[in-house]
Amino acid sequence: MEGAAEPGNLAGVRHIILVLSGKGGVGKSTVSTELALALRHAGKKVGILDVDLCGPSIPRMLGAQGRAVHQCDRGWAPVFLDREQSISLMSVGFLLEKPDEAVVWRGPKKNALIKQFVSDVAWGELDYLVVDTPPGTSDEHMAAIEALRPYQPLGALVVTTPQVPPPGALVVTTPQAVSVGDVRRELTFCRKTGLRVMGVVENMSGFTCPHCAECTSVFSRGGGEELAQLAGVPFLGSVPLDPALMRSLEEGHDFIQEFPGSPAFAALTSIAQKILDATPACLP
């Protein structure tokens, strides 16, 4: 139908998941990275779009710093992390001349780059596109949602494109009340923008001693699950503090592959399985 949004480079993407939080420092990039790795190890083809333009940490977490982005016949080719091209990545970190260069841009320039990431990156066939976002409910979030939303209003009529499903949101919090309060506002943002909330993840939920296996609630516990119950959305799980996970992220290693006996491994793979269960294997 004339006027309908063209899916373009998103035509081969089956599911889109935005990782959100109203607060910084809760581990959105950690959850985005490990969710993508867990989905990949479940046999899925995954892309990661890093739209945290001022803090692009995903390339380091995946050991991809210094890689170059190349042009192809359909726009930009994403950075592939393996020979099988089962996991791909796009981040402003690949476009900076120096890794410690600051992105000092006003809103319109940020929004234009986010839209370009969506429209001009040749993602190819993906089961999941995981979108790591900055904290809050800023212009970048609106730009990402508008670019990723697979429809546009035509007067009173909304035309959908079946090739690209509506994006879903995975909301990350830490247990303490300050974080939960900010994330509550993020859930309101999701409702106002029409994002489907796939669930809440509570990160940094206790520390399990590697010697005696006792779990200590460093930052309180249970705030994420209580928030999910109050908001009427699924609670996907709690991820404990884990030195092995932190070390893997610092060194750009695959935590899911290297530490299957870790408590964080069990939590992250369980969250990934719930995402798999909540999304159909193929499009209608």
Side-chain angles (χ1 to χ4, degrees):
M1 181 179 294
E2 185 178 357
E6 291 294 331
N9 280 330
L10 292 179
V13 178
R14 292 180 173 84
H15 303 289
I16 302 169
I17 303 172
L18 287 91
V19 181
L20 305 168
S21 180
K23 186 172 178 59
V26 301
K28 291 183 303 300
S29 297
T30 296
V31 171
S32 298
T33 298
E34 300 307 326
L35 174 62
L37 290 172
L39 291 171
R40 173 209 179 184
H41 285 294
K44 303 302 179 182
K45 196 168 184 179
V46 186
I48 308 176
L49 175 56
D50 182 4
V51 298
D52 191 348
L53 303 184
C54 294
S57 55
I58 296 285
R60 175 170 181 168
M61 290 180 169
L62 288 168
Q65 279 184 305
R67 302 278 290 275
V69 172
H70 301 286
Q71 291 285 330
C72 65
D73 58 351
R74 290 190 291 126
W76 285 338
V79 170
F80 294 102
L81 301 182
D82 57 357
R83 290 182 180 180
E84 298 78 18
Q85 298 187 353
S86 63
I87 187 163
S88 54
L89 171 61
M90 178 56 71
S91 169
V92 71
F94 298 131
L95 307 179
L96 303 177
E97 293 184 4
K98 300 178 181 179
D100 57 352
E101 183 178 346
V103 177
V104 187
W105 294 349
R106 294 188 183 276
K109 190 172 182 179
K110 290 181 179 180
N111 297 347
L113 180 61
I114 291 171
K115 292 175 182 177
Q116 191 173 5
F117 276 166
V118 173
S119 63
D120 292 354
V121 176
W123 293 107
E125 295 289 327
L126 293 179
D127 295 300
Y128 294 90
L129 177 63
V130 179
V131 184
D132 183 40
T133 68
T137 54
S138 61
D139 285 351
E140 289 102 311
H141 298 81
M142 294 303 302
I145 292 170
E146 289 171 3
L148 290 165
R149 197 186 299 278
Y151 60 81
Q152 68 179 47
L154 298 178
L157 177 66
V158 172
V159 178
T160 63
T161 55
Q163 295 94 332
V164 188
L170 189 154
V171 181
V172 182
T173 186
T174 50
Q176 59 267 53
V178 171
S179 175
V180 170
D182 288 339
V183 173
R184 185 179 291 111
R185 287 186 283 274
E186 193 75 31
L187 291 170
T188 302
F189 169 81
C190 291
R191 286 194 294 270
K192 288 184 175 180
T193 55
L195 277 179
R196 175 175 57 96
V197 178
M198 303 182 72
V200 173
V201 171
E202 182 179 283
N203 194 28
M204 308 182 199
S205 180
F207 171 73
T208 302
C209 176
H211 304 293
C212 68
E214 181 180 353
C215 183
T216 301
S217 299
V218 180
F219 299 120
S220 181
R221 190 176 180 87
E225 185 170 9
E226 182 180 354
L227 173 62
Q229 291 175 350
L230 290 173
V233 299
F235 180 67
L236 299 180
S238 302
V239 182
L241 289 164
D242 189 332
L245 174 57
M246 297 305 104
R247 188 165 60 252
S248 295
L249 293 167
E250 287 290 326
E251 298 174 356
H253 293 168
D254 187 338
F255 171 79
I256 299 296
Q257 182 178 39
E258 295 183 2
F259 295 95
S262 163
F265 170 90
L268 289 164
T269 52
S270 173
I271 291 166
Q273 187 59 53
K274 289 176 182 177
I275 294 292
L276 289 167
D277 293 341
T279 49
C282 58
L283 295 174

